[in-house]
Amino acid sequence: MTFDVAGEAAKVVRDRSAAWRFIEGFAAAWAEPIEAWDGWNHADLNAAEDRLGVRLPDAVRDAYALFGKRPDLTSNQDWLLTPSELRLDGEVVVFRREIHSVTSWGAALDDPDPAVVHATERGWEPWLPHFSAACVELVLSEALFRDGAVTADRETSAADVSLLEDHFALLPLHGPGTRWFVSDDLIVREDDGEWLWARARTPESLDMLTRWLPGEWATD
């Protein structure tokens, strides 16, 4: 099954429902299709709201109801919190934690599809302008670390900037310090201009990656 990652991602920044369609299409093509039982039910989400004393943004409820019980999509490296683990920090609901607890991600409570922020030593700082787009970025990030997947990583080189632009499409999902590039059956994340993380849908596409971006790729 093929899935136009670049084309579908371009729609995400304009349309919340496009984010959910992206995640469904990506899961079907790169993992396993999303089933009806892969999300939390309304009772679970209502219980979380009662415990927190706030109404969760519509996009947060939509995401948890669609794929919140799919750790292969959400929690290979970092963790999407369960409804019972959601917590408040002022006007932010914290929904995701980094593997080493270096940072966490939260959604504002002021919009149906609110901005997402991440924790830094200076406090909460912007990550992506909409929760739905952040969910797409989350699913792509976790795809880089899925057990059994065809993945690779290496330090960036001086030639990578032009090579990435020559062979890949840039996705409109860049958070602070990150850029996403895709081509047929290949996804690459560049972190702070220092490291590349790649996911290939097939071993053949991994071979293509190493031809396009030669270097010391680790494929463990």
Side-chain angles (χ1 to χ4, degrees), residues 104-128:
S104 56
W105 290 263
L109 296 170
D110 58 356
D111 190 85
D113 192 7
V116 168
V117 293
H118 68 122
T120 74
E121 61 185 11
R122 296 174 295 277
W124 291 112
E125 296 193 351
W127 181 256
L128 283 170

Side-chain angles (χ1 to χ4, degrees), residues 1 3-4 45 49 58 61 76 86 104 109 117 133 142 148-149 199 203-204 217:
M1 177 180 180
F3 178 69
D4 181 8
L45 298 172
E49 290 181 337
D58 291 346
R61 290 184 64 99
N76 297 310
L86 294 173
S104 56
L109 296 170
V117 293
E142 295 306 316
R199 167 76 188 273
E204 292 76 18
W217 288 98

Side-chain angles (χ1 to χ4, degrees), residues 46 94 201:
N46 292 342
V94 180
R201 202 159 76 92

Side-chain angles (χ1 to χ4, degrees), residues 20 23 34 38-39 63-70 73-74 135 139:
W20 314 141
I23 291 168
I34 292 174
D38 287 337
Y64 272 83
L66 177 64
F67 64 98
K69 290 184 176 181
R70 281 288 298 270
L73 297 177
T74 66
C135 285
V139 167

Side-chain angles (χ1 to χ4, degrees), residues 57-210:
D58 291 346
V60 174
R61 290 184 64 99
D62 289 348
Y64 272 83
L66 177 64
F67 64 98
K69 290 184 176 181
R70 281 288 298 270
D72 63 309
L73 297 177
T74 66
S75 304
N76 297 310
Q77 172 79 358
D78 305 323
W79 284 276
L80 180 71
L81 303 183
T82 67
S84 64
E85 294 171 330
L86 294 173
R87 62 181 179 84
L88 287 181
D89 186 340
E91 295 300 310
V92 169
V93 58
V94 180
F95 67 90
R96 188 182 181 205
R97 185 177 72 249
E98 193 264 344
I99 184 173
H100 299 300
S101 297
V102 172
T103 190
S104 56
W105 290 263
L109 296 170
D110 58 356
D111 190 85
D113 192 7
V116 168
V117 293
H118 68 122
T120 74
E121 61 185 11
R122 296 174 295 277
W124 291 112
E125 296 193 351
W127 181 256
L128 283 170
H130 296 291
F131 179 83
S132 58
C135 285
V136 170
E137 200 273 348
L138 180 159
V139 167
L140 290 175
S141 286
E142 295 306 316
L144 301 172
F145 302 99
R146 179 174 176 166
D147 287 344
V150 184
T151 61
D153 66 279
R154 69 162 170 78
E155 192 173 5
T156 58
S157 70
D160 287 334
V161 172
S162 61
L163 291 174
L164 284 166
E165 294 173 351
D166 286 344
H167 295 291
F168 295 84
L170 177 65
L171 296 187
L173 295 169
H174 31 275
T178 67
R179 294 196 301 168
W180 286 94
F181 296 88
V182 299
S183 185
D184 292 342
D185 293 336
L186 285 169
I187 300 169
V188 179
R189 189 181 78 194
E190 178 194 49
D191 285 354
D192 296 317
E194 297 178 351
W195 207 265
L196 300 178
W197 304 90
R199 167 76 188 273
R201 202 159 76 92
T202 66
E204 292 76 18
S205 52
L206 180 64
D207 291 339
M208 183 178 297
L209 171 74
T210 59

